[in-house]
Amino acid sequence: MTSEITLFVNPTAGRGRGAHAAQPAASALRDAGFSVRTVLGEDADDALRRAREAVAAGTGALIAVGGDGLMSLALQAVAGTATPLGVVAVGTGNDFARTLGLPVRDPAAAGRLAARALREGGLREIDLGRVGERWFGTVLASGFDSRVNDRGNRMRFVGGRFKYDLAILAELAAFRPIPYRLRFDGGEPVETEATLIAVGNGTTYGGGMRICAGAKTDDGLFDVTVVGPCTRATLLKVFPRVYRGTHLDHPAVTVHRVSSIELAAAGITAYADGEPMGPLPLTATCVPGAVRVLTGG
C-alpha cells in the first residue's frame, strides 16, 4: 500500500469545523509516517471528480473530513474499489461514524485511528445501499421524514436544528398517511398506507435517531422500518422514542429484513445519508462488502 494518503475535506462542514479538523487529522497521519495530500473542490461535482482521480491514481486511502454529506461523496468515489475509506466526522449529524462506532468531532483521535488501521490492517468490509449509480451508507428516508427535509431545505430565514424543528411542526399540521406500493426482494407488490418508510443499511439518521436500530452493516440485508398510518397525537408520542430505538416495539411499527426494496409513492422525494436521491419510485439494493472502512479492528 502506498504511503500517500488523501484527505478529502469539506471546509464548511459543521459550521466551519471541517477546515479546523483537517490539520489535526493530517498531523496524526504524518506523525505515523504517511504522506498527506488534501483534496478540496469548488463544488460537490468538482470535489467528487478530484476524489475519484485520487482513487484512480492509487492513493493508499481516502480520508473524508466533514459531515454525512461529504461521507456520501466519498462513498461514490471508493465504493466497489480496493481503496480504504477513513472517517473524520466533524459535521452536524455524523450518522455514518455513529453507526460504525467511530470518533465523532474528535479529529485527532479519528486521524490516529485511521493511521493505526493503515499500519495494522484494521479494515472492515461493510455493505452499502445502491439506488441506480448512487451509493448510501446509513438510511434512505421516505415519507414524513423526507417531507420534513424538503420543507427544511426551503427555509432560508432560519438555520441549524431549529429549522428542522419548525419543519416538523409545519409537516405535522399538514400530515396525512401516504399510500405506498412496495415490493420486497422482487416478490409480489404490497399496497399499504404509512407515515414513513426508512430503509436502513445503518442504524441512525438525523444526528442519532435510531430509526433502524437493529440494522447491521455487514449482514447483506436492509432493515426496513415501516411506520404505519397513525394520528398526529400518536406520532408525537412515538417520535421521541426514535432516539432510543424503542419505537420498534410500538404496534404501528413493523420491520422487514430484505436485500432489495422497490418503493413507489406519489409526491415523495427520497433522501439517503441526508442527501436527496430523487423522487419515488426507486429500487434500493443492499450490496455486501461494497466498501472497506478504516475502523482500527
Side-chain angles (χ1 to χ4, degrees):
M1 176 182 291
T2 178
S3 63
E4 183 180 89
I5 303 304
T6 301
L7 278 190
F8 184 39
V9 181
N10 178 2
T12 65
R15 300 180 184 178
R17 280 192 295 267
H20 297 292
Q23 184 174 349
S27 294
L29 288 158
R30 290 190 178 107
D31 289 347
F34 294 98
S35 172
V36 178
R37 64 184 293 264
T38 300
V39 167
L40 301 170
E42 296 179 1
D43 53 31
D45 290 340
D46 183 55
L48 178 55
R49 178 184 62 79
R50 293 169 185 261
R52 283 175 166 158
E53 287 174 352
V55 170
T59 186
L62 188 71
I63 312 292
V65 184
D68 285 324
L70 190 78
M71 301 305 155
S72 177
L73 281 180
L75 289 177
Q76 313 314 309
V78 300
T81 77
T83 303
L85 173 66
V87 178
V88 180
V90 291
T92 303
N94 304 309
D95 287 295
F96 189 70
R98 291 175 196 276
T99 290
L100 298 176
L102 299 174
V104 171
R105 296 179 189 161
D106 190 344
R112 290 192 298 270
L113 183 148
R116 185 170 65 251
L118 286 165
R119 286 197 312 267
E120 301 174 2
L123 295 168
R124 179 181 170 192
E125 287 191 352
I126 67 167
D127 310 334
L128 293 177
R130 189 168 190 176
V131 176
E133 297 302 312
R134 294 272 303 278
W135 300 89
F136 67 93
T138 57
V139 176
L140 183 147
S142 74
F144 176 78
D145 43 9
S146 62
R147 283 181 166 170
V148 168
N149 249 322
D150 282 338
R151 186 179 290 270
N153 290 340
R154 294 194 300 270
M155 290 181 174
R156 304 299 182 190
F157 56 90
V158 290
R161 297 301 295 261
F162 181 59
K163 174 170 68 174
Y164 291 96
D165 291 341
L166 288 177
I168 287 171
L169 291 174
E171 283 301 321
L172 276 171
F175 173 73
R176 298 288 186 279
I178 299 162
Y180 281 89
R181 189 172 189 267
L182 311 175
R183 193 190 300 266
F184 299 118
D185 288 336
E188 290 298 314
V190 176
E191 307 277 350
T192 189
E193 285 195 335
T195 299
L196 65 86
I197 297 177
V199 181
N201 181 62
T203 54
T204 72
Y205 65 4
M209 298 169 67
R210 297 174 56 79
I211 187 69
C212 299
K216 295 179 171 57
T217 56
D218 56 2
D219 62 354
L221 297 172
F222 292 131
D223 273 31
V224 179
T225 300
V226 179
V227 179
C230 55
T231 65
R232 292 185 187 90
T234 299
L235 189 55
L236 283 169
K237 182 178 179 181
V238 173
F239 199 75
R241 294 170 57 181
V242 174
Y243 287 95
R244 301 187 302 276
T246 56
H247 65 292
L248 298 180
D249 297 330
H250 193 277
V253 178
T254 56
V255 176
H256 307 264
R257 290 191 169 91
V258 299
S259 60
S260 70
I261 179 172
E262 298 174 35
L263 281 167
I268 298 297
T269 298
Y271 285 75
D273 294 340
E275 301 296 309
M277 293 291 282
L280 302 188
L282 60 74
T283 299
T285 303
C286 186
V287 181
V291 67
R292 305 164 75 211
V293 182
L294 299 171
T295 61

